[in-house]
Structures are given as structure tokens and as C-alpha cells.
Amino acid sequence: MITKEVIDSIIEYTASENVKLEETLSGYTTFKIGGPAKCLVEIDTVKQLTDVSQYLKREKIPYYVLGNGSNTLFADEGYDGVVVHLGNKISDIRVEGNLIYAEAGAMLARVSKEAQKASLTGLEFAAGIPGTVGGGVVMNAGAYDGEMKQVVKAVSAVSPEGEFVTLSNEEATFGYRSSLMRHTGYVVTEVVFELQEGNADEILTKMNDFNERRRSKQPLEYPSAGSTFKRPEGYFAGKLIMDAGLRGYTVGGACVSEKHCGFVINKGGATAKDVVTLINDVKAKVKADTGIELEPEIEIIQ
Ligand SMILES: Cc1cc2nc3c(=O)[nH]c(=O)nc-3n(C[C@H](O)[C@H](O)[C@H](O)COP(=O)(O)OP(=O)(O)OC[C@H]3O[C@@H](n4cnc5c(N)ncnc54)[C@H](O)[C@@H]3O)c2cc1C
């Protein structure tokens, strides 16, 4: 329950203008879907993030840490807890030799650009991923020839027990679109990337090439949360969906993209219910045709 006492405590750790009640979440996700959050708190500093998450953990209050919302589908009914939103204020980036220190709210595209400017190679793959550093490491985001696992040296976080900890790459136990942080409720505050020296022009060319490939193959003109399903081992979700005859398959405002069948897009006015129904229909048809179980990559918060 989000009582007045809870709200007052969150205000104490932040400021009254940072705390919003019954805030509609559709504006905070790239899917443009989602009802109101009981409480949404905008985080301005790492200290606020640490204090608020420690408090919520201690009091066992349901919360959801939201970066850029590019992998998140909130329910039409909204979220009955506290959404901890990392705005662009907790987004400092610092380059030291071949290390980059980036706060959790920094956009991956910016970190990638800073790496390029410093002639550091390794983060080109992240240039077009529309998420934050926090969301990126939690998801072990990846594309083309890279994933976070290859470039993360350390992750600073608040542990499930409320302790401030630093995890090494090994301790973060990255897997395909997964990490220790994703499954056990660590709140990421800062990430250290370790990159290699490279040539700034070559790095830029690679970033531009990756971004051009995205523009030509992905339905970036529509709201979505990127690839809806994980890649089943040995297959491509988009190809399985296309082969199942589901290109353009529509439920309400949600639709399997005709440009890239791996993306569910919001063609206009889609509800979370439309998206979830469509996902279930796609899973059932692919399973019936091939025996393969598709698993959502996106976070569905019901
Ligand atoms: C057009 C498009 C293209 C995409 N392309 C790719 C791609 O190529 N590769 C890829 O891997 N993904 C891709 N994605 C998905 C998405 O961008 C990534 O998963 C990204 O890393 C999510 O970051 P975010 O900040 O938006 O996370 P959110 O959606 O805000 O959150 C995702 C998860 O991370 C958690 N989280 C966020 N911040 C923190 C934090 N500080 N501490 C603890 N937990 C946190 C959330 O609670 C949630 O569980 C794409 C999405 C879109 C819309």
C-alpha cells in the first residue's frame, strides 16, 4: 500500500516536485502504453537512488526501476507501487584512460559516442540501443557483434538487502538478455566499461553502419519495445513468426510489424491487453507449427 507516510518518506529523500501521484506511464515507455502509477519518483542523484531504493526494500514496498522504458510494457491498469524513474540528471559520463564511468541514467547512445570521441572501441554495438546504462546492463543488451557482458568491468548497485555493493563482471553473471541484477532486484547506480584503444574514424564508421542497418530493417517509425521475443537457440524469432504467416497480424492497435516480424508495434491506441493477447496468439501459432516455445524479451509488468 502506498500510504501518505510512504509518500512523505520518499519526498524526504528527494523533493516534493520529484514525486508524482497517479502519473500515466504511457509517456515513460517507448511502447507508449501503460496506465497510472500510484507513485512515480524522479531521481536526480545517485544518493537519492540509493536512499529511495534502500527505503523501499527495507519497507518491502513494491517498486519498479525504470530507465528509458524501452523494454517495458506496463499494464493498462497501471502500477500499484512506486516507479523509480531515472531521469537524465543521473547520467554523468567520465572517461579515464580506457575506462568509462557512466551513471545508470545515461543513455547508451551517449556513452557510445563518448567512447568514439575518446578513440575507444567496443561499444559501437550499443550506439542505436535506445536504453539507459542501467537498463542495458540489467538486460545484458546486445546487437550485431557485441553485448554488455563483453565491455562491463564493474557494476555499482544497491543489493536486494539494501547494501551498496560493487559487482565484478563475473559476479554480474551475464547471460543471454539476463544478469544477476535482472533476476534478483539489484538497483544499478553506475557502470564501469573497459574498452580498447581504437581509431575514432573507424569507430564512427562502424556506429553509422549499425545505425543505418537498424533504420533500414526495423520499424523505428512506430512505438515498440524492440524485439518482442528472445532468440530461440538456433532460430530467429522474426523468421519463425513470418513463416507462421503472422506478418501484419493485428490485435486492436497492436501489430506484428510487416517490416520486421520480430517487433510488435503500436500502430495507434494499442493497449497492454492488445499486446499481451497478440504475444500469446503468436506464441501459440509458432508452437503449433514448429514445437518451439517463444519467450518474451520485454518486461511485462501486470
Ligand atoms: C527500437 C528499439 C530497438 C531496440 N534494440 C535493441 C537491441 O538491439 N538490443 C537489445 O538488447 N535491446 C534492444 N532494445 C530493447 C531495449 O532498448 C534494451 O533492453 C535496453 O537495454 C533497455 O534499457 P531501458 O533503460 O530502456 O530499460 P527499461 O525498459 O527502463 O528497463 C528494463 C529492465 O531493466 C531494469 N532497470 C532499468 N534501469 C535499472 C537500474 N538502474 N537498476 C536496476 N534495474 C534497472 C528495469 O526494472 C527492467 O527490468 C530495443 C528497443 C527498442 C524500442
Side-chain angles (χ1 to χ4, degrees), residues 178-280:
S178 80
S179 66
L180 174 76
M181 294 78 73
R182 183 171 190 193
H183 303 297
T184 48
Y186 283 79
V187 177
V188 177
T189 57
E190 189 183 70
V191 174
V192 185
F193 296 98
E194 185 168 28
L195 304 174
Q196 307 301 319
E197 275 180 34
N199 175 290
D201 291 339
E202 285 170 16
I203 295 166
L204 186 60
T205 303
K206 197 168 170 185
M207 284 163 62
N208 289 342
D209 172 47
F210 286 163
N211 284 343
E212 184 44 43
R213 284 203 237 168
R214 274 180 196 276
R215 278 189 290 273
S216 65
K217 297 218 168 72
Q218 299 181 357
L220 302 182
E221 61 279 25
Y222 288 105
S224 80
S227 298
T228 312
F229 298 97
K230 288 185 182 171
R231 185 169 8 91
E233 222 175 312
Y235 300 91
F236 289 102
K239 170 99 171 51
L240 292 171
I241 295 166
M242 190 175 69
D243 292 348
L246 293 170
R247 180 194 287 268
Y249 177 68
T250 300
V251 175
C255 178
V256 172
S257 163
E258 302 209 3
K259 195 169 175 185
H260 188 319
C261 293
F263 279 56
V264 173
I265 55 173
N266 178 358
K267 271 211 144 172
T271 61
K273 194 159 173 273
D274 293 339
V275 175
V276 171
T277 306
L278 186 143
I279 285 175
N280 288 336

Side-chain angles (χ1 to χ4, degrees), residues 43-46 49 86-94 100-108 110-111 114 132-134 189-190:
I43 298 292
D44 289 339
T45 64
V46 170
L49 179 59
L86 274 62
N88 53 13
K89 287 194 182 136
I90 159 173
S91 59
D92 277 0
I93 301 172
R94 197 171 83 248
I100 297 190
Y101 295 77
E103 287 182 348
M107 291 296 285
L108 291 170
R110 256 189 69 220
V111 186
E114 288 304 317
T132 59
V133 163
T189 57
E190 189 183 70

Side-chain angles (χ1 to χ4, degrees), residues 44-105:
D44 289 339
T45 64
V46 170
K47 171 143 177 46
Q48 287 180 1
L49 179 59
T50 309
D51 288 348
V52 169
S53 52
Q54 281 175 333
Y55 166 74
L56 295 170
K57 282 171 196 283
R58 198 168 56 238
E59 298 298 321
K60 299 194 171 39
I61 293 159
Y63 68 91
Y64 185 81
V65 183
L66 185 66
N68 196 42
S70 65
N71 205 48
T72 297
L73 177 68
F74 283 117
D76 303 314
E77 296 74 27
Y79 183 68
D80 194 13
V82 180
V83 171
V84 179
H85 184 229
L86 274 62
N88 53 13
K89 287 194 182 136
I90 159 173
S91 59
D92 277 0
I93 301 172
R94 197 171 83 248
V95 182
E96 278 182 25
N98 68 334
L99 302 180
I100 297 190
Y101 295 77
E103 287 182 348

